[in-house]
Amino acid sequence: MIDSHRRLLAGTVFAACALVLAGTAPAYGADAPPAAAAPAADPAAPRDPIVVTARRLDEARSAVQKSLGADSYGITNAAIQALPGGDNQQLNQIMLQLPGVVQDGFGQFHVRDDHANLQYRINGTILPEGLAVFGQTLSPRLIDHFDLLTGALPAQYGLRTAGVIDIHTKSGFANGGEASIYGGSHDTIEPSLEYGGSTGQTNYFVSADYRHDSLGIENVNASRTAVHDATDQFQGFVYLDRILSDSDRISFVGGYSNQWFQIPDPVGLTATSPVAVNGQTSFASNALNERQLERTGFGQVAFLHDSGPLTVQLGGFARFSALTYRPDPTGELIFNRLAQQAFKDDLALGLQADASLRAGNGHTVRFGGFLQHDHTISDTQTAVFPVDGTGVADAPPLSIVDNSTKSAVMASLYVQDEWQLSGKVTLNYGGRFDYYDAYRQENQLSPRVNLVWQPDALTTLHVGYARYFSPPAFELVANTSIARFVGTSGAANSLVDTTPQAERQHYFDVGVQRKLAPGLTVGIDGYYRLSRHLIDEGQFGAPIILTPFNYAYGRIRGVNLYANYQRGPWLVYANFAAAKAQGRQIESSEFSFGATELAYIASHFITLDHDQTYTGSGGISYAFRDGALKGLKLGSSMIYGSGLRSDLTLPDGTDVPNGAHLPAYAQFNLAASYKWAKPGVELRFDVTNAFDSKYEIRDGTGVGVGAPQWGPRRGFFFGISKDI
């Protein structure tokens, strides 16, 4: 614990240095020329030079990391507010409204049938992944807009490549904010506060919220209420920037989340033990008391320079993440013959540089690098029974302590050229080199190429290829000494424990987008991916900590269709995706699997547990802008899934891992809000799962699936907010 506090202190010092640096920067001394994109209420009125410069630098930053050729789906803050729940909901619920995003338990979601492998960027700087399973580190309140980038990504995007969630934060400019309180079903209560503004050359934005409810994790059954499923969550965020000149800006982004969860209990089960545990030989499942605590803190400092043909952003970041699992020692020993107290933390420190050089003759060269160092601590104390030759407990429980530390280094370099071949054709080509040194040392040189053709002003076609290199999530790789558990009730299925490897992919993507009418855009994207050492993750044990493992061979293919209409007071969208993900031959973390399961997967391609054949989402909202109903907004959203995978037993008794799928489901949500502009007061009313659909996300079977999980039942929520 001393080391974890040192890590948190390091992140705090990092943030403090950023604040001092921003606060002591030299004063802005010259007016910037007006930017064409800068909005003004009155074209004849003078513009604030600070705002104009800030917006121009935002555009320059975006140009450094242009997503040419990738599939990009964006959501603005206005669109978030139009969704049921607005920014009171968690980020994963918003992500489910995008094409090809699949819902899973524990607050997870999958992009294009990949498990995790997601990269978050805040204002262009990478936010390293953490240990959180249930919690969402980032609150929607900090988002001005964000894009999900997927497909054949340009060379500046690497390591985590299923999807890049590129977040642009709110930044202030106009002094003001909002205080709100939101709550309703499932004992939900959520107060929040946000405020932003500017003073001189400095802009800032801060937000904070607290959430309590009695449905922190998906219920393990279909009942309306869950047993032992409360959660308390706090999130805070700060953005600060200072304009140094008309070409330079320094900025800081920081955040902290502290989230506590009860693990929901099944009801009506009783387990017995031949050996008494704390005086008990039986235990009821609804009396279990398991808990998990997740904490994350991060800070980022970035310096942006834009002058002439060269734009450069230099950034540094720190991220601390910790997960603590507190078991029910008596109950888990009786039910599982094992009770493990687990603590893991990870401290990541890194540097990032990105640059864009407009070289002339239709060429824009982009280049940069990335360096990250991780240090993780894993401490476990496991209570198990000694067992006799038949595997039956024959003595009182004993405790096995297994503590370890490990470090990792990731480094990347990239260069690419955006070549404007003509007014209608653009070729973006390049490559990146990635190096990874942790439990094993690996590297890869990865070429990338995208061709974009715009035959007319309404149509855009793209085709791309990307070679990907994705290491396993370092902080999740199990480093338990399984040999210590031989002869106990915690013994693994085998002593084979190959270290997970980096996944290596060939990714092909093609798509077309067409504007059919003013405000109406439709598109279709198809992709095919071939993988060696395909990475998946599973829950193996009571602590809800996911463990990476590899399939030797993988193949994933699919198609996304989407349509968006935004004009006047209307916002309408619809998405549909079909996908298939398969893997063969498990080649790492073998001790987590049974011999029969390993043998079947060694000779058969099986469907991955997180595969969903068909996925859909859609929504509609209307904002009244005139008349007696001015200020009223009505909206709805929905998600559809054909069902995640479950195990299948054939008539001959053969078990097929992930051979079946759960029933299809659809969830519809409703929203209504009304704002009185003059006092700045808004009321909102939301209904989730309006038709009270009972649907199962997981049934507890499947490769690496730990427990059943059900979608939420119908809920009613009310909120009131006041401008400040």
Side-chain angles (χ1 to χ4, degrees):
M1 292 299 293
I2 293 175
D3 284 335
S4 68
H5 288 126
R6 288 175 178 170
R7 293 156 182 265
L8 187 58
L9 178 61
T12 304
V13 171
F14 185 92
C17 290
L19 290 169
V20 171
L21 182 59
T24 58
Y28 177 81
D31 290 350
D42 180 1
R47 298 175 179 177
D48 185 335
I50 299 297
V51 174
V52 171
T53 300
R55 296 192 185 281
R56 184 180 63 79
L57 291 175
D58 284 345
E59 294 168 4
R61 180 183 64 201
S62 297
V64 170
Q65 298 180 346
K66 195 172 181 180
S67 57
L68 184 71
D71 300 317
S72 178
Y73 312 111
I75 290 186
T76 64
N77 181 263
I80 292 173
Q81 297 295 347
L83 292 171
D87 54 14
N88 298 289
Q89 61 189 314
Q90 294 186 322
L91 182 58
N92 64 307
Q93 295 299 316
I94 298 171
M95 295 299 303
L96 296 179
Q97 298 301 315
L98 295 175
V101 179
V102 174
Q103 179 180 216
D104 203 345
F106 300 149
Q108 300 177 94
F109 58 89
H110 310 293
V111 176
R112 291 193 170 184
D113 260 11
D114 209 329
H115 190 114
N117 197 22
L118 299 170
Q119 181 180 115
Y120 290 82
R121 293 190 174 213
I122 299 180
N123 297 334
T125 300
I126 293 173
L127 175 63
E129 58 202 331
L131 291 161
V133 179
F134 320 117
Q136 299 290 322
T137 299
L138 301 174
S139 167
R141 286 187 175 81
L142 63 89
I143 298 173
D144 178 76
H145 65 280
F146 75 89
D147 299 290
L148 171 63
L149 311 177
T150 186
L153 300 171
Q156 69 260 41
Y157 301 105
L159 301 174
R160 299 288 169 255
T161 53
V164 177
I165 301 167
D166 188 16
I167 295 172
H168 298 260
T169 65
K170 298 175 182 176
S171 55
F173 300 132
N175 294 320
E178 180 182 272
S180 71
I181 188 165
Y182 186 80
S185 298
H186 315 302
D187 301 322
T188 301
I189 184 70
E190 185 174 355
S192 66
L193 178 69
E194 60 181 71
Y195 193 87
S198 62
T199 173
Q201 290 76 44
T202 301
N203 303 297
Y204 61 91
F205 174 81
V206 296
S207 70
D209 61 80
Y210 164 80
R211 180 183 180 95
H212 170 85
D213 67 55
S214 59
L215 192 63
I217 306 173
E218 290 84 5
N219 199 351
V220 295
N221 56 58
S223 65
R224 188 173 301 278
T225 58
V227 176
H228 193 265
D229 199 10
T231 182
D232 290 287
Q233 304 177 29
F234 168 79
Q235 295 174 308
F237 171 81
V238 59
Y239 170 88
L240 177 68
D241 76 42
R242 187 172 180 85
I243 305 295
L244 306 179
S245 71
D246 58 356
S247 301
D248 302 294
R249 178 176 66 191
I250 189 167
S251 61
F252 169 76
V253 171
Y256 178 74
S257 67
N258 190 313
Q259 302 173 323
W260 173 85
F261 299 87
Q262 292 178 331
I263 309 301
D265 293 342
V267 177
L269 304 178
T270 301
T272 61
S273 170
V275 177
V277 180
N278 296 325
Q280 294 182 235
T281 57
S282 66
F283 203 94
S285 60
N286 56 313
L288 288 166
N289 183 24
E290 303 160 317
R291 294 140 293 153
Q292 191 151 305
L293 172 66
E294 300 176 359
R295 295 174 294 144
T296 299
F298 67 90
Q300 301 175 341
V301 175
F303 171 75
L304 178 68
H305 171 77
D306 176 55
S307 62
L310 178 67
T311 303
V312 178
Q313 177 161 292
L314 305 175
F317 57 82
R319 191 267 301 131
F320 170 81
S321 179
L323 183 153
T324 303
Y325 176 79
R326 296 169 180 161
D328 185 316
T330 302
E332 287 189 40
L333 269 170
I334 294 176
F335 267 96
N336 305 323
R337 305 297 190 258
L338 176 151
Q340 184 178 88
Q341 179 172 306
F343 171 78
K344 296 192 74 166
D345 79 5
D346 183 83
L347 175 65
L349 301 171
L351 300 170
Q352 181 181 341
D354 299 282
S356 174
L357 177 64
R358 294 168 286 282
N361 297 321
H363 292 272
T364 300
V365 179
R366 295 181 175 88
F367 53 95
F370 171 79
L371 177 65
Q372 179 177 318
H373 178 274
D374 279 78
H375 184 74
T376 187
I377 295 174
S378 178
D379 295 344
T380 63
Q381 183 173 338
T382 309
V384 292
F385 290 109
V387 297
D388 60 21
T390 63
V392 177
D394 60 357
L398 55 88
S399 180
I400 297 176
V401 176
D402 190 3
N403 299 336
S404 62
T405 64
K406 184 67 176 176
S407 294
V409 173
M410 289 190 292
S412 305
L413 294 171
Y414 73 87
V415 62
Q416 62 187 8
D417 177 25
E418 179 187 337
W419 185 8
Q420 194 76 35
L421 296 174
S422 69
K424 297 182 177 181
V425 180
T426 303
L427 177 68
N428 194 55
Y429 63 96
R432 64 180 291 128
F433 176 78
D434 295 301
Y435 171 85
Y436 174 72
D437 184 4
Y439 293 95
R440 62 170 72 233
Q441 189 181 100
E442 301 180 86
N443 62 78
Q444 180 175 288
L445 182 63
S446 306
R448 309 282 180 88
V449 60
N450 281 290
L451 184 69
V452 179
W453 176 39
Q454 293 181 287
D456 55 54
L458 303 178
T459 308
T460 302
L461 297 95
H462 71 267
V463 60
Y465 164 78
R467 180 80 166 128
Y468 287 148
F469 174 83
S470 299
F474 164 72
E475 67 279 4
L476 297 180
V477 175
N479 48 12
T480 301
S481 301
I482 57 177
R484 297 186 181 188
F485 293 87
V486 173
T488 75
S489 57
N493 295 309
S494 74
L495 295 180
V496 181
D497 182 20
T498 307
T499 302
Q501 304 179 60
E503 182 175 351
R504 301 168 188 265
Q505 309 170 21
H506 294 283
Y507 200 116
F508 305 89
D509 182 89
V510 60
V512 59
Q513 185 180 89
R514 175 77 176 178
K515 296 180 180 178
L516 297 181
L520 176 61
T521 301
V522 298
I524 182 171
D525 292 299
Y527 58 93
Y528 187 81
R529 172 179 135 201
L530 290 172
S531 293
R532 284 285 285 126
H533 317 303
L534 184 150
I535 294 176
D536 201 349
E537 295 176 358
Q539 181 201 345
F540 304 101
I544 305 182
I545 303 172
L546 300 182
T547 299
F549 62 93
N550 296 99
Y551 292 90
Y553 308 97
R555 57 192 187 196
I556 299 177
R557 64 271 194 194
V559 60
N560 293 344
L561 298 92
Y562 58 92
N564 301 290
Y565 178 74
Q566 188 167 5
R567 187 173 175 84
W570 289 100
L571 171 62
V572 186
Y573 64 92
N575 307 303
F576 181 79
K580 194 69 174 179
Q582 296 176 303
R584 178 167 67 86
Q585 188 182 336
I586 290 174
E587 59 175 356
S588 64
S589 303
E590 295 91 343
F591 71 94
S592 299
F593 303 88
T596 302
E597 193 173 38
L598 284 172
Y600 186 92
I601 300 173
S603 57
H604 298 80
F605 269 98
I606 67 166
T607 305
L608 303 187
D609 72 284
H610 55 267
D611 171 89
Q612 184 163 262
T613 305
Y614 303 113
T615 302
S617 62
I620 181 171
S621 68
Y622 184 85
F624 292 86
R625 298 180 176 181
D626 300 295
L629 296 179
K630 181 179 179 181
L632 176 65
K633 296 179 183 178
L634 300 175
S636 66
S637 68
M638 65 83 65
I639 56 172
Y640 163 81
S642 61
L644 296 178
R645 310 303 296 185
S646 60
D647 288 344
L648 173 68
T649 301
L650 299 177
D652 64 1
T654 302
D655 291 325
V656 181
N658 303 338
H661 68 82
L662 297 172
Y665 66 89
Q667 177 180 320
F668 292 84
N669 311 302
L670 304 173
S673 65
Y674 189 87
K675 185 166 185 176
W676 291 270
K678 191 171 183 180
V681 174
E682 182 176 52
L683 298 178
R684 70 175 301 134
F685 172 60
D686 300 308
V687 183
T688 59
N689 197 356
F691 299 108
D692 202 22
S693 172
K694 297 180 182 179
Y695 66 92
E696 198 168 16
I697 301 172
R698 294 286 194 179
D699 71 350
T701 70
V703 177
V705 178
Q709 295 151 347
W710 289 76
R713 299 290 297 275
R714 181 167 51 214
F716 300 94
F717 302 91
F718 304 85
I720 181 170
S721 62
K722 174 71 171 67
D723 293 343
I724 56 176

